Amino acid sequence: MNGKININILLPILNIIRKRLILFFFFIFLLALLAIWKGGDALRAQQVKNLRMSTHEQLDQLANVLEGAIAKYQNMPTLLASNDRVKKALRNGTPEDIKQLDRELEQINRITEASDSYIINADGLTIAASNYQKNTSFVGNNFSFRPYFQDAMQGKAGRYYALGTTSKRRGYYFSYPVYDGKKIIGVAVVKVDLTQFEKRFNNQSYEFLLIDPDGIVFSSSRSDWLYHLLGELSHQELQRIAQSQRYNGKEIQKLAIVYSKPLDEKTRIVDILDNVIRPNHKTLLYRHTYLQVTRPIQLLNFQVSILAPLKTINEEIALWRAIFAGGVTITVLLFGLAMLRTRMLRERFDANEMTRHNQAYIREVIQNTQAGLVTLDAAHRIESFNPAIENLMGQPLSPLVGEPLSVLFKPLDEAVEEAQQGQVVSLDTDGLGAKVITMEGALCYSQSQPIAVEMTLSEMQLPNRRSYLVTFHDMTERKRYEQEITQARNALEERVRERTFELENANTLLRQEIEEHKGTQRELIQTAKLAVLGQLSAGINHELNQPLTAIRAFADNGLKFLDRENYQQAYANLQHISQLGHHMGDIIARFKVFARKGDVQPAPIAVFTAIKGALHIMETRYKEVGIELLLPDGDEGLIVNGDMVFLEQVLVNLLANAADAILENDPAIKRVIIQQMASEKEVSIYIKDSGDGLSEDAIKHLFEPFFTSKPSGAGLGLGLSISQRIVEAMGGQILAKNQAEGGAEFCVTLPRYQASLNRKGES
């Protein structure tokens, strides 16, 4: 090592020592600040204690002065009540007696410095008053609603406080009954105006409050605190106060106490918000902290409070804390400066080098940016520009240095018009501070073609002078895009109009095709009905031939009975002929109804009735071919939403298909079973035959139009397809499957008629 210390080894050690030293002084600084804060709290608590003692003394003095000043008036009503002139005026005083009494009351008020004295008769009417000569005279006013009058009329000395309904002045009232023998003939009243006490204590270093038993400020050194509530009152209590007319319609609001901390039973610290209206009509809120000391005034049943402001104490504590914190901070700063001095000297060289590097970097950025940049002086004259603006214009712009910006840039005509109307901010930004203005326009210089640009002007925050930076962005391509977009939008709108016209025509044709399809469907349904009737024609003939044969026999016999003059037997034959005619009419009517055209009209229908109707049509054929028809006993009261004729057509079609399936294979047992099953919302009708069943291919395509498993020429393959459409039109479905024991099973499911829901919907 040659006896030399390696500086590279010492540097990390010195850095660790420096960091720990900084942490140590920072910790000492925090401890010092904490000590200053706690010391301020202790000093403030001591000063508040001293203020509390002095405020208690001031409150006692204020209460004694107030009690002494008011106490001297409490016996005045008693003296007035014993005055013979008062009694005479109340009994049957003449106008002259009343005038003499008015003058005497005025003289008593002048001597005693009372506010008002007046005499009220037994009806509550004021007959004489010390203020008889004033516009606010009490003479002629009725005060029977006042509690002090009511107490005196009961023989008690009355006390009351209120805002005068006539004088509009707050006062404390003393009253006493005027006796004539044992009879009370009137009331003597003395009102003490509290305004004189407010004026006496108005210029003190504290604020005072005189609080009534309801917690409402009745008197105060602050007029804006009058009639404000310190506590809480219920709605009934507020109504009681309003009905007594104590405050003559004044609105009772809560005093804006936002913080309250009790120190003892009589003392607390409160924060009150005050509204301050500035000359510009703006209302500001200020928060003031007071030491509130309260004690009762037994004579008035009031409480009096003094609110001593803590602003001075708070300011002194804040100043004390600031001084000590400043001293500690200065000490720490001096230490920090001493430590930073070495570092600053070391970094100064690096900073200068960095500044040169930054300047070169900024210069390169400005020279190579693609946006046009122009700097302006305070008068908006061009100072400098970058190469991008010259490239944009295609010519040198050095002659423009010192010229106003308007020589180079012209706003759009619309922008100029709006600027003239005061709608666009002028380029002059004096007094506005840093502001950014953006507008569209064109670069126009010499004879060159105007170039559409977007201009952005912003103030640069330089230390010694005002300067502006203007940025120009080429909008030529953007304008071209906007024009292309506008043209494309117009073309699209035209295409949409053409396409809309085409769609409307297509919709019209589609509606026509739908109507034609509905007509075709109705014709197919009618064709299927007629096909069924064609298959049943032999049965119809048999049904009609039997009664026709019987009618001929009865008619021939009837003629013979008439020849023999056996009228009774002839009459019986005619009755048989009539019954057979009705029977033939029923048969024809049933087939006529079955064959009628129409659309599905859903309505409540009985399932059993539809089944019986289908059986009447099919029973002749079933008897002819020897098929047994089973209709187990079931619920005959099931009601569904459907169309009776169309449901009969579906059932006839299914019964006819069942008969064809049985006859095609001629099984040993020829049987068709009809069953009903119902749930809460649906009713299902099952038709099961004893044939060989359906093939898998038939089950897949069974309900497709023109599909049939019958021999060629035996059917069109439309029956089941039409039946499916009819059932779906009634809101149901039709399904087919093979039974486990053999034979096919068809199930028609329809929505059950809900009588209660229907009545609810109809109501």
Side-chain angles (χ1 to χ4, degrees), residues 14 21 27 38 52 68 75 104 138 159 179 218 310 405 431 435 537 553 578 643 700 702 705:
L14 292 175
L21 208 57
F27 180 70
K38 291 297 183 181
R52 180 166 54 177
N75 294 321
E104 186 172 334
F138 296 162
R159 292 184 179 184
Y179 286 92
F218 188 71
L310 296 179
L405 180 63
K435 193 168 187 68
S537 59
S578 177
D643 187 295
K700 291 180 181 178
L702 197 58

Side-chain angles (χ1 to χ4, degrees), residues 49 172 253 348 405 525 718:
K49 182 179 180 181
Y172 200 89
Q253 298 180 344
R348 181 174 298 175
L405 180 63
I525 293 174
L718 292 174

